Amino acid sequence: MIYHRITSIEDQYFGSLHKLLQTIFPPEEVLAYELWREPLEDKGIHVYVAIHEGEVVGSTEYRYYPALRVAMTDFTIIGKPSLGIGRFLLRNRERDLLKLAEQSGTTPIGMFAEVYDPYRAEEHAFGGVSPMNPFVRREVLSHIGYKRIDLAYVHPSWDHEGHAVAELDLCFLPQNEDLDSIDAALVAEFLNGYYSALPNKPEQWVRMMEHIQASETLSLLPL
């Protein structure tokens, strides 16, 4: 299996990746084809695909923020079962993030990720791919060590319509697995930066951010 980075929408594998995104995720979570041009050219955004026998069978996107000493896994897609795609993506991402941290001279304190709540995302088929079932994905993140941030979480829709997407939880994978809370200011700074590319923010987002900014810490709960 090949771990291949995509840095342009002209990449021969980008079309397959975008189709995979559209198959797995609901429309409000998928950036339009042409709107990927700028993010892919951003050296801080890492988009990789897993290629098996010439076919894109999985993908992951992530980034590392040296100033905050945290990473973010934007998404992980397993397009086919029983090929070991999830572990392949995880291990390659881990190695790359360690390299990015070393290059920046920082020691990471953890990684954010969003995960669907299966009880609020029941109508989504997720491409009918069993590893992408939200019950499975949530349990996998729990096994890895992610914890749910105690927050009524929403985020702006990626279709630029400004809708509130409220079917996910914001999670954090702390380097110190005994950590039971996270600095609220860190969460606020991360979210403000991460969603700065989406100018249309729903009212639910504004209220959530006000709550975070008024807090000192947020609890980390079992996922």
Side-chain angles (χ1 to χ4, degrees):
M1 205 173 300
I2 299 171
Y3 194 60
H4 171 71
R5 185 176 183 181
I6 295 181
T7 58
S8 168
I9 63 173
E10 275 77 39
D11 188 291
Q12 62 176 320
Y13 294 108
F14 178 69
S16 297
L17 167 60
H18 198 259
K19 287 180 182 177
L20 192 58
L21 287 166
Q22 292 176 313
T23 299
I24 296 296
F25 295 124
E28 65 272 15
E29 291 285 76
V30 181
L31 200 62
Y33 193 102
E34 183 60 34
L35 293 181
W36 273 95
R37 182 180 297 278
E38 187 174 341
L40 288 174
E41 293 174 351
D42 185 336
K43 293 182 179 179
I45 298 176
H46 298 254
V47 179
Y48 280 84
V49 291
I51 302 171
H52 177 66
E53 297 180 347
E55 178 186 2
V56 173
V57 294
S59 179
T60 186
E61 177 184 340
Y62 50 93
R63 57 194 85 188
Y64 182 67
Y65 299 84
L68 301 180
R69 297 168 55 206
V70 298
M72 169 64 173
T73 299
D74 302 299
F75 62 75
T76 300
I77 298 176
I78 300 169
K80 289 186 175 182
S82 305
L83 288 176
I85 298 167
R87 182 175 178 82
F88 175 80
L89 294 172
L90 172 66
R91 292 301 179 223
N92 278 281
R93 183 174 64 227
E94 284 180 338
R95 284 192 288 267
D96 198 23
L97 284 169
L98 281 174
K99 183 176 67 176
L100 293 171
E102 289 173 359
Q103 289 173 347
S104 68
T106 60
T107 301
I109 59 174
M111 179 160 52
F112 289 99
E114 296 171 335
V115 63
Y116 279 95
D117 178 345
Y119 298 102
R120 287 181 286 160
E122 291 178 298
E123 74 274 17
H124 301 316
F126 297 96
V129 181
S130 56
M132 296 304 295
N133 180 287
F135 284 101
V136 175
R137 295 168 68 193
R138 199 175 183 90
E139 190 60 28
V140 167
L141 287 192
S142 177
H143 274 70
I144 292 172
Y146 276 94
K147 299 180 180 182
R148 178 175 65 85
I149 298 176
D150 188 13
L151 183 65
Y153 184 63
V154 299
H155 75 73
S157 58
W158 284 99
D159 57 11
H160 286 263
E161 295 296 325
H163 302 304
V165 178
E167 299 167 334
L168 300 100
D169 290 313
L170 182 63
C171 303
F172 189 68
L173 172 62
Q175 287 291 108
N176 176 6
E177 63 181 20
D178 295 325
L179 201 68
D180 60 7
S181 66
I182 186 172
D183 183 0
L186 172 64
V187 177
E189 188 173 357
F190 163 71
L191 289 174
N192 274 322
Y194 187 71
Y195 283 104
S196 61
L198 300 178
N200 299 323
K201 303 292 198 303
E203 180 60 32
Q204 297 96 314
W205 161 273
V206 175
R207 292 198 300 269
M208 178 192 74
M209 293 302 295
E210 288 174 346
H211 166 70
I212 296 172
Q213 289 162 347
S215 305
E216 289 189 10
T217 62
L218 299 170
S219 297
L220 294 174
L221 305 176
L223 186 57

